[in-house]
């Protein structure tokens, strides 16, 4: 198909498709003349992947570019693959103003990971991201948010099991790379959406009349 | 303190502080002369909150502005509060190209919510976000991602319980609004970080030698 039909079938504007082509995010079509190229189903699939990462995953274009580099370098080493995709998807947060607090929080996170018996190599961006969360909470007077994070741990373990099941199930379909990318990005959005719905639902359960009666300040469990 | 000291103590540059003042994201200081104002600890706290939402939560400035509007309109109706904060934090994704598929997926999500006995009012942005995830997965040939989403549901219920415990525990400290905002934004980042660590750890558990032996294509449970 021509670029016009590719645009129509994917809903991506022609200038945007040309931009993706220039940036190497979309593989070139088959040249049919100096000014024309032919595209096929693989281009449709790739455009859908790019749009899913941007629109559904909310990723900036630069991150999408980086993630696509891993998609284009197939590997059957799940751990290495996870590492590459996770690094692209989880850029280190800006260095904390309070270097000493940040370092102490990273030690705390690493101690927590060791205690759990989790495997984690040094320098994983999620460790510093989690440490930054703890430093911020502390600076805002929400130091006890650490207890919430500790309670999240057991929950995250269950997520990890579900996610690896998905990757393992998909490994023969189109290689694991795309499953890791799709599962990670769409999974983040799905989990955050479900978290919101669960909060509303739990709130409605605790406050069945859907609002605290006037003057009542005690929350009934 | 003067603006210079406010900048020094929070690590936020003076021009950025002035921008936040102009945008109404930071309350004005007490005027001491036509060109000078005095700031106090409440300004430090507010700047830390703004930076946490931007740096740790990764929120765009426009979203931070909207979220701060709820922080500045205290309410003791938890459900209403959750609704306001969640709407600001979860802008509806761009309308799907496939309106019919999107509508069908939203029906599917609503049916799932009803089945669970969850309470959710119409038009919650998380419903359309989740539907968009399902449509994208389907379009990418990952239709069975729906099974993963179904498995996430029980996990999300546990997150909702932890989150409401946190909000309830904090309700006398500084009003619930800030706790809802901080818990939601820092919690998103913490959960995503823990998800990454749990994936790596689960992957290391399933593949103890940390890589699949050459030529082996079967994944051992």
């Amino acid at each position: 198909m021509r670029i016009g039909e590719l645009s129509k079938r994917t809903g991506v504007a022609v200038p945007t498709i040309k931009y993706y082509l220039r940036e190497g995010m979309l593989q070139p079509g088959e040249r049919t003349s100096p000014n024309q190229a032919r595209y096929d189903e693989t281009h449709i699939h790739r455009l859908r992947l790019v749009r899913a990462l941007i629109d559904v995953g909310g990723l900036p274009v630069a991150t999408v570019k980086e993630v696509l580099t891993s998609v284009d370098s197939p590997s059957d080493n799940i751990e290495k693959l996870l590492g590459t995709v996770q690094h692209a998807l989880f850029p280190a947060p800006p260095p904390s103003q309070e270097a000493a607090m940040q370092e102490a929080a990273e030690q705390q996170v690493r101690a927590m990971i060791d205690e759990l018996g989790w495997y984690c190599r040094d320098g994983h961006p999620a460790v510093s991201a989690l440490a930054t969360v703890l430093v911020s909470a502390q600076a805002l007077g929400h130091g006890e948010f650490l207890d919430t994070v500790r309670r999240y741990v057991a929950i995250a373990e269950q997520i990890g099991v579900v996610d690896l099941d998905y990757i393992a199930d998909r490994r023969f379909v189109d290689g694991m790379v795309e499953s890791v990318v799709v599962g990670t990005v769409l999974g983040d959005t799905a989990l955050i959406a479900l978290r919101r719905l669960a909060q509303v639902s739990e709130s409605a359960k605790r406050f069945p009349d859907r609002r605290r009666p006037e003057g009542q300040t005690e929350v009934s469990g």
Side-chain angles (χ1 to χ4, degrees), chain A:
Chain A
M1 76 197 88
R2 297 280 167 75
I3 198 165
E5 197 191 333
L6 183 61
S7 165
K8 212 166 137 190
R9 286 201 40 202
T10 56
V12 181
V14 171
T16 309
I17 295 179
K18 288 186 172 164
Y19 170 78
Y20 295 155
L21 285 165
R22 277 199 307 279
E23 292 291 315
M25 294 161 72
L26 179 66
Q27 66 276 24
E30 187 198 337
R31 282 258 157 254
T32 52
S33 83
N35 292 315
Q36 282 195 327
R38 193 157 45 204
Y39 302 92
D40 59 25
E41 297 299 320
T42 64
H43 294 89
I44 291 187
H45 184 84
R46 180 60 165 244
L47 277 177
R48 284 189 178 141
L49 179 60
V50 170
R51 294 314 307 180
L53 298 178
I54 293 175
D55 293 338
V56 187
L59 298 184
V61 172
T63 305
V64 171
K65 245 183 104 163
E66 204 176 330
V67 169
L68 291 174
T69 310
S70 14
V71 172
D72 295 335
S73 329
S75 157
D76 66 352
N77 179 331
I78 291 194
E79 193 199 333
K80 197 173 149 221
L81 189 57
L82 270 175
T84 315
V85 173
Q86 290 186 349
H87 267 86
L89 286 177
F90 218 134
S96 170
Q97 285 304 312
E98 346 253 328
M101 280 179 76
Q102 176 75 21
E103 182 48 41
E106 289 193 14
Q107 295 286 4
Q108 202 171 19
V109 171
R110 276 193 290 262
M112 194 170 75
I113 291 169
D114 286 346
E115 212 176 286
L116 290 162
W118 282 11
Y119 163 77
C120 177
R121 94 198 125 44
D122 284 345
H124 194 288
V127 171
S128 52
L130 204 49
T132 307
V133 165
L134 298 181
V135 170
S136 281
Q138 186 81 48
L140 287 166
H142 290 242
E144 71 273 49
F145 191 68
L146 176 61
D147 300 331
T148 294
V149 170
R150 287 191 179 281
R151 291 179 69 188
Y152 282 160
V153 165
I155 297 173
E157 279 187 337
Q158 301 169 49
I159 300 175
V161 170
V162 172
D163 288 343
L164 266 287
D165 282 352
Y166 183 70
I167 295 170
D169 281 352
R170 290 279 311 186
R171 72 196 180 286
F172 298 126
V173 184
D174 47 15
M176 286 180 300
V177 201
E178 194 182 291
S179 297
V180 169
V181 169
V182 170
T184 301
V185 175
L186 295 191
D188 281 353
T189 304
L191 278 167
I192 296 303
L194 286 169
R195 180 187 181 212
R196 301 284 188 277
L197 293 173
Q199 286 176 342
V200 170
S201 187
E202 179 65 22
S203 154
K205 199 191 286 174
R206 294 192 191 199
F207 312 103
D209 52 349
R210 292 190 209 158
R211 51 179 305 133
R212 277 155 69 189
E214 289 302 315
Q216 182 184 327
T217 47
E218 197 59 42
V219 173
S220 54

